[in-house]
């Protein structure tokens, strides 16, 4: 077959090497192969000459670049394998290569909803994955997959100066929690709240209004902690925000009942 193919292709200056028909073929970074049931499967292909070198964390780059390297390589492995067995094998190989190259992502921000951009003012306010907000005797657990750059999202803010005090068997609940929505990147929305922490603009945000009315001695956005709860379609933001407000009753016992100036 190869000999006949070379005879036909000779006039075009093309020559095919000798090869045998088998059950797999490499194409770009994928190996296509037939499994035991003669079904087509695929797995990641790397050239034998691939040195598997990655950007080292001791190089002069922002932390989010190192995060992107590890994440993009992991995503590539996940998408280039049709079988869980080969996927897990390649992920273990990737983990080993990252450690060998000292390209392991810093664990300082693991599980924290931070973007780690050098000049981001919002990162220091963000909660860790698994942190719990207690809102009107209901628990709300912080998810892990969002950060300051997330947009089209529902978020929660809670005053750190307020707390629940028990006296003589009674429970005093402070109205300290706010649910909001934004189509902007989240850090831009927080900057909007931050801009209201001025005397003349204090009633333009529920957060600044609460801080001024209850903690005038400490009128600052530094006293709030934030978390992103959900990312959704922009058309669903109003509905999802209303769902959180109703569920946790912050329209009655919370900062969502505040009437802000526009």
């Amino acid at each position: 077959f190869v000999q006949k193919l070379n005879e036909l292709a000779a006039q075009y200056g093309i020559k095919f090497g000798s090869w045998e028909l088998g059950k797999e073929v490499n194409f770009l970074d994928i190996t296509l192969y037939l499994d035991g049931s003669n079904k087509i499967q695929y797995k990641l292909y790397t050239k034998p000459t691939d040195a598997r070198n990655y950007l080292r964390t001791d190089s002069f780059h922002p932390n989010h670049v190192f995060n992107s390297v590890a994440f993009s390589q992991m995503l590539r492995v996940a998408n280039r394998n049709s079988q869980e067995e080969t996927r897990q094998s390649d992920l273990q190989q990737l983990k080993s290569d990252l450690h060998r190259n000292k390209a392991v992502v810093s664990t300082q921000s693991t599980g924290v909803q931070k973007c780690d951009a050098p000049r981001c003012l919002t990162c220091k306010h963000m909660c860790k994955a698994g942190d719990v907000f207690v809102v009107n005797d209901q628990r709300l657990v912080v998810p892990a997959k969002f950060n300051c750059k997330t947009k089209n999202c529902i978020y929660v803010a809670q005053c750190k100066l307020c707390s629940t005090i028990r006296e003589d068997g009674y429970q005093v609940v402070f109205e300290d929690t706010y649910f909001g929505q934004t189509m902007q990147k989240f850090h831009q929305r927080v900057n909007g709240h931050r801009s209201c922490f001025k005397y003349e603009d204090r009633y333009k945000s529920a957060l600044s209004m609460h801080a001024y009315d209850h903690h005038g001695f400490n009128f600052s956005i530094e006293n709030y902690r934030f978390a992103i709860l959900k990312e959704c379609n922009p058309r669903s933001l109003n509905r999802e925000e209303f769902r959180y407000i109703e569920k946790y009753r912050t329209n009655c016992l919370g900062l969502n009942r505040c009437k802000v100036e526009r």
Side-chain angles (χ1 to χ4, degrees):
F1 174 77
V2 176
Q3 182 180 355
K4 183 63 176 178
L5 193 61
N6 282 330
E7 290 176 3
L8 296 174
Q11 57 182 319
Y12 304 106
I14 299 174
K15 183 177 181 180
F16 296 92
S18 59
W19 54 278
E20 296 181 358
L21 293 175
K23 288 196 172 185
E24 66 177 45
V25 62
N26 301 321
F27 178 73
L28 298 180
D29 63 344
I30 289 180
T31 296
L32 297 169
Y33 66 96
L34 296 176
D35 62 12
S37 304
N38 282 330
K39 292 182 179 179
I40 298 177
Q41 306 290 351
Y42 56 90
K43 60 184 178 181
L44 180 67
Y45 170 71
T46 54
K47 293 182 178 179
T49 55
D50 186 358
R52 298 177 181 269
N53 290 328
Y54 300 101
L55 185 66
R56 294 170 60 98
T57 52
D58 55 5
S59 61
F60 191 71
H61 292 82
N63 285 338
H64 69 275
V65 173
F66 304 121
N67 290 336
S68 297
V69 170
F71 178 78
S72 61
Q73 290 300 315
M74 182 188 68
L75 194 63
R76 175 171 175 257
V77 169
N79 290 337
R80 296 296 191 277
N81 284 278
S82 60
Q83 297 294 305
E84 186 64 24
E85 182 180 352
T86 57
R87 182 181 297 114
Q88 291 299 325
S89 175
D90 286 341
L91 285 173
Q92 289 298 322
Q93 181 64 52
L94 174 63
K95 179 180 178 181
S96 174
D97 293 335
L98 290 173
H99 279 282
R100 176 175 52 82
N101 287 274
K102 295 185 178 179
V104 180
V105 181
S106 171
T107 58
Q108 293 181 354
S109 62
T110 300
V112 183
Q113 291 189 338
K114 295 182 179 180
C115 66
D116 284 328
R119 291 182 289 180
C120 180
L121 299 176
T122 303
C123 283
K124 59 185 177 182
H125 300 296
M126 302 304 291
C127 293
K128 296 180 181 179
D131 280 358
V132 176
F133 284 76
V134 178
V135 186
N136 294 327
D137 290 332
Q138 298 184 73
R139 291 166 54 87
L140 179 61
V141 181
V142 177
K145 61 181 180 179
F146 308 117
N147 62 45
C148 309
K149 303 298 185 186
T150 302
K151 56 184 180 179
N152 299 324
C153 61
I154 305 298
Y155 66 91
V156 60
Q158 191 171 68
C159 178
K160 294 186 290 187
L161 296 179
C162 292
S163 60
T164 301
I165 303 174
R166 295 182 181 274
E167 290 183 353
D168 299 328
Y170 293 94
Q171 185 178 29
V172 180
V173 179
F174 287 90
E175 300 173 0
D176 59 355
T177 306
Y178 176 82
F179 290 99
Q181 59 161 290
T182 181
M183 289 190 290
Q184 301 174 298
K185 291 181 179 179
F186 182 66
H187 73 94
Q188 294 174 330
R189 180 67 189 99
V190 174
N191 288 340
H193 283 298
R194 182 179 288 105
S195 68
C196 296
F197 279 79
K198 303 172 186 175
Y199 179 80
E200 61 274 15
D201 295 326
R202 64 191 184 280
Y203 292 123
K204 292 184 179 180
S205 165
L207 306 188
S208 56
M209 185 185 303
H210 169 80
Y212 181 81
D213 291 343
H214 293 82
H215 313 291
F217 64 93
N218 207 338
F219 180 54
S220 172
I221 198 172
E222 302 297 323
N223 298 319
Y224 284 91
R225 61 176 185 150
F226 293 86
I228 300 172
L229 303 176
K230 187 173 185 178
E231 186 178 17
C232 52
N233 189 296
R235 291 176 294 182
S236 304
L237 285 172
N238 287 334
R239 182 178 69 248
E240 291 300 319
E241 180 189 32
F242 179 77
R243 186 173 68 84
Y244 277 100
I245 291 173
E246 284 291 304
K247 179 178 179 180
Y248 294 95
R249 299 180 294 143
T250 55
N251 54 345
C252 301
L253 296 171
L255 303 186
N256 288 102
R257 73 181 186 86
C258 297
K259 301 297 182 184
V260 299
E261 295 178 359
R262 299 297 182 183

